[in-house]
Amino acid sequence: MKNQFRSIILLFLGVVFGVLPLFAAHIAMRDYVMTRGENFLDQTARRTLMRAEDFVQDAVDVLSTLPHYRVPVCDDALRESFRVMMMRHMAIHDVGLLYNGEYMYCSSMKGSTHFGAASEAVPGAVPHLSFRAVQDDLTEKDGLLVEWTISKFVSIGAFIRVDSLGEQSMQTDLANSYRLSLKLDSGDVVTSSTPESRLQERAPFYKFAASEDLTRDLIEREVNSTRYPLVVSVAVPFHAVWESYDGVINVMDAFGIFTGGLIMILFVRMAVRKPDPYVSLEKAIRRKEFVPYYQPILDIQSGRLAGCEVLVRWRKPDGTVVSPGHFIDMAESTGLALPMTALLMEQVAKDLSVSYADHPDLKVAINLFNRHFDDLAIVREAEQVFGNSGVRFSQLVFEVTERLPLENLDRARAIIVRMQELGIRVALDDAGTGHGGFAYLQKLGMDIIKIDKLFVDTITADSKHVPIIDSLSQMAKGMNMVVVAEGVETDEQLDYLRRSGIDEAQGFLFSPALPASAYLQLVDALGGVHRRKAIEDGPDRRKADLAS
């Protein structure tokens, strides 16, 4: 009896230890597949949204360079201007004047066309911009219409076709089952892709009905743009993701009858999991791996070295130097830009104290982010870091970036006033390309305006009049502001900027961003020494001076 009872107990334990790991393996595997599917969809949605944002930004950039301060006259010159801008931005299918948001005339592609509105106009971050889903009646192509309002009835429009907005490719295993849509904030669909629509394109004369297997138990992700009223949603059936991991599942089943199978799953999950970018950045800040590089700024009217702009670089332990394009978005969106900036300011004070004490006319510009204007902490940090250093407050310039909008302009203005009371100057970076635009100039009391490389790039050897640069220069002079041009790369650009009365410039024509030692050598060579002739002698002489 005892042996029978013992056998039953052993059999029961055998079943438990045989089934439980398998059951646990399936639960763990389902969680793993769900997480991987969600991460994959999130990445796909963000890539698609980034692509759409880039095309919309192209359209906004085009519209911002066209005559939007008055109702333009439709003539050959305007049509040619539209055509040139369209050819420079291949994602834009057509540019022209709009009447009542639907009828386009003075078009870059044809005399006129009519758009059938597929949605109501959705306003952008600034009141003169709006977006709507439309269909070109002439070509019957769907797309997104970006409008820059000039008057009650007339606006400038840029038409982006949906085949330009295009979806991001899915991995092969999910290519036949995913659903993706690009929508406006209002919920109106600009473009979508479903299994049925893709089959319909391959066989247009056959009617495909939605399969129940492709519409149930969906994993869904939705990402909203912070810059434009755009939303991307992606969905895929769970079973399609599960089937794409068939090989791994079979392995887990084989090991699941043993306790070691569960351990193997944990090791597999650890092996396939990528490091969290947030954790990597946080560790790098603690290890002080972010270092300042200094891009020289020259007074192009006098030829003197005016100072520098601090640009962050990630210097990893193996010596690799990573540019900010690979990490600055993550740092800004997670709030890590705040400790990163504090780390940079401490290093700037150490690097420049001795040299800048001997050159009181030189300035150093440091970029701030929207979170810096939530409270007065940045003012206290500046006082603590630079109060006892050789870098005077009067040599500091804090640049307000427009990458993300300032939430409270009144609070930001109060913080800027406290900075200016210390003697710190404040600059509007990338003027005209971000969320705040010229409203920041009027409301925040800036001291310096920086012209983005986007506008400098429009200067050519034949340029006689660049409206946006001339307008910015005249407006800044009227407001007693210093004007700095970014991204100067050619002598033609430099000559035009000097003639236009621009005060200062930076860019590869003069020097790339330099490590501290190289910049300090440049200060010793040029700081306080009149070098106008070096600028006038051309690029070869100028590069020789910078290298010496």
Side-chain angles (χ1 to χ4, degrees):
M1 187 69 177
K2 288 183 178 179
N3 289 336
Q4 187 177 8
F5 181 74
R6 182 174 177 273
S7 298
I8 294 174
I9 294 297
L10 289 176
L11 180 61
F12 175 76
L13 292 177
V15 171
V16 170
F17 285 102
V19 174
L20 187 59
L22 184 62
F23 181 70
H26 271 276
I27 293 177
M29 197 63 203
R30 181 178 177 84
D31 175 68
Y32 170 76
V33 171
M34 178 70 75
T35 301
R36 294 290 292 172
E38 289 176 346
N39 290 343
F40 181 78
L41 292 182
D42 187 72
Q43 293 171 12
T44 301
R46 291 185 185 281
R47 287 198 304 269
T48 303
L49 181 61
M50 185 178 299
R51 178 183 175 90
E53 284 180 334
D54 288 343
F55 289 146
V56 172
Q57 183 64 57
D58 281 350
V60 173
D61 292 344
V62 167
L63 299 181
S64 66
T65 59
L66 295 171
H68 51 268
Y69 50 87
R70 57 179 174 80
V71 177
V73 177
C74 180
D75 54 21
D76 291 339
L78 183 61
R79 187 176 284 109
E80 180 62 22
S81 177
F82 286 165
R83 187 175 294 112
V84 168
M85 298 308 295
M86 187 198 70
M87 295 301 293
R88 289 181 180 175
H89 302 270
M90 301 306 294
I92 301 175
H93 182 67
D94 203 359
V95 181
L97 297 179
L98 292 172
Y99 180 74
N100 280 343
E102 296 182 1
Y103 176 76
M104 177 177 281
Y105 64 99
C106 206
S107 162
S108 60
M109 294 292 292
K110 45 194 172 291
S112 63
T113 188
H114 183 270
F115 293 107
S119 74
E120 295 294 327
V122 177
V126 290
H128 54 265
L129 277 177
S130 61
F131 307 79
R132 72 173 72 195
V134 298
Q135 182 182 75
D136 183 351
D137 287 353
L138 188 62
T139 62
E140 295 185 352
K141 291 291 185 179
D142 295 330
L144 181 67
L145 186 63
V146 183
E147 298 179 54
W148 187 301
T149 301
I150 301 174
S151 69
K152 182 177 180 181
F153 299 104
V154 178
S155 57
I156 305 176
F159 176 59
I160 308 172
R161 285 185 7 186
V162 294
D163 48 9
S164 296
L165 294 170
E167 69 218 45
Q168 289 290 311
S169 298
M170 283 280 184
Q171 67 185 50
T172 305
D173 294 335
L174 306 178
N176 296 323
S177 55
Y178 73 93
R179 297 173 179 274
L180 183 146
S181 65
L182 174 66
K183 300 178 289 186
L184 296 173
D185 277 350
S186 59
D188 296 302
V189 176
V190 178
T191 180
S192 65
S193 179
T194 65
E196 299 78 35
S197 67
R198 293 191 291 275
L199 289 172
Q200 196 72 58
E201 290 178 358
R202 299 174 192 170
F205 301 105
Y206 186 82
K207 184 66 175 177
F208 293 95
S211 170
E212 184 179 350
D213 288 342
L214 298 178
T215 57
R216 61 181 173 83
D217 199 16
L218 294 176
I219 305 175
E220 299 178 87
R221 298 296 289 175
E222 187 170 275
V223 178
N224 292 69
S225 172
T226 59
R227 299 160 56 190
Y228 304 108
L230 300 176
V231 180
V232 172
S233 60
V234 191
V236 68
F238 176 81
H239 72 81
V241 184
W242 180 269
E243 290 169 3
S244 69
Y245 288 90
D246 270 345
V248 181
I249 293 169
N250 291 335
V251 172
M252 295 308 139
D253 286 343
F255 283 91
I257 59 175
F258 304 103
T259 306
L262 183 57
I263 299 174
M264 180 62 69
I265 293 174
L266 297 177
F267 275 100
V268 169
R269 294 190 69 179
M270 291 174 60
V272 299
R273 183 181 299 155
K274 294 183 179 180
D276 188 337
Y278 177 88
V279 174
S280 299
L281 287 179
E282 194 175 34
K283 288 182 178 178
I285 292 173
R286 289 201 306 265
R287 295 170 182 169
K288 298 185 177 181
E289 294 176 7
F290 292 100
V291 296
Y293 269 49
Y294 302 90
Q295 183 167 44
I297 301 174
L298 271 70
D299 184 328
I300 59 176
Q301 298 300 330
S302 69
R304 292 180 183 275
L305 179 66
C308 65
E309 178 182 355
V310 176
L311 302 176
V312 64
R313 296 291 186 269
W314 185 354
R315 185 180 293 158
K316 296 192 173 182
D318 62 1
T320 305
V321 177
V322 182
S323 63
H326 293 85
F327 59 82
I328 200 67
D329 286 340
M330 171 66 72
E332 189 172 359
S333 63
T334 58
L336 289 176
L338 301 182
M340 185 184 296
T341 303
L343 176 63
L344 290 178
M345 290 198 300
E346 292 175 2
Q347 191 60 48
V348 167
K350 292 179 182 178
D351 291 343
L352 303 185
S353 280
V354 175
S355 179
Y356 267 47
D358 295 335
H359 299 88
D361 292 335
L362 295 183
K363 65 183 177 182
V364 55
I366 301 172
N367 286 289
L368 300 184
F369 303 91
N370 65 328
R371 295 280 295 276
H372 280 109
F373 294 91
D374 289 345
D375 52 47
L376 288 169
I378 182 61
V379 179
R380 292 191 293 270
E381 283 183 9
E383 291 176 319
Q384 293 170 0
V385 173
F386 297 103
N388 296 319
S389 76
V391 180
R392 301 166 176 83
F393 291 136
S394 59
Q395 293 176 288
L396 287 176
V397 176
F398 282 152
E399 296 188 4
V400 180
T401 178
E402 295 186 86
R403 294 167 61 87
L404 291 175
L406 298 177
E407 295 181 359
N408 188 319
L409 291 184
D410 292 333
R411 181 174 59 206
R413 173 58 184 154
I415 295 171
I416 289 173
V417 168
R418 290 289 298 274
M419 293 176 180
Q420 292 169 332
E421 288 174 349
L422 292 174
I424 300 172
R425 287 171 289 174
V426 182
L428 176 64
D429 195 16
D430 304 331
T433 64
H435 291 84
F438 302 117
Y440 282 9
L441 292 177
Q442 297 173 338
K443 295 182 179 180
L444 300 183
M446 301 291 184
D447 303 295
I448 300 169
I449 184 171
K450 301 194 74 173
I451 299 176
D452 188 72
K453 183 179 184 297
L454 167 72
F455 303 123
V456 174
D457 285 343
T458 63
I459 301 174
T460 64
D462 300 327
S463 295
K464 298 186 184 306
H465 183 58
V466 181
I468 189 66
I469 291 180
D470 295 342
S471 299
L472 285 172
S473 178
Q474 293 173 8
M475 179 179 61
K477 296 305 179 185
M479 300 172 70
N480 197 27
M481 299 172 65
V482 174
V483 185
V484 183
E486 298 180 301
V488 180
E489 297 180 349
T490 67
D491 286 295
E492 290 81 5
Q493 292 172 348
L494 175 61
D495 292 340
Y496 186 90
L497 293 169
R498 291 177 63 188
R499 292 196 309 270
S500 299
I502 303 302
D503 302 295
E504 300 170 358
Q506 62 190 90
F508 276 33
L509 181 65
F510 310 112
S511 171
L514 303 171
S517 58
Y519 175 66
L520 292 175
Q521 291 177 6
L522 185 66
V523 170
D524 290 340
L526 297 183
V529 179
H530 198 280
R531 293 290 179 129
R532 184 184 183 98
K533 188 174 185 304
I535 293 179
E536 293 175 342
D537 284 344
D540 295 334
R541 173 63 178 276
R542 179 163 50 257
K543 290 175 182 176
D545 281 342
L546 290 174
S548 60

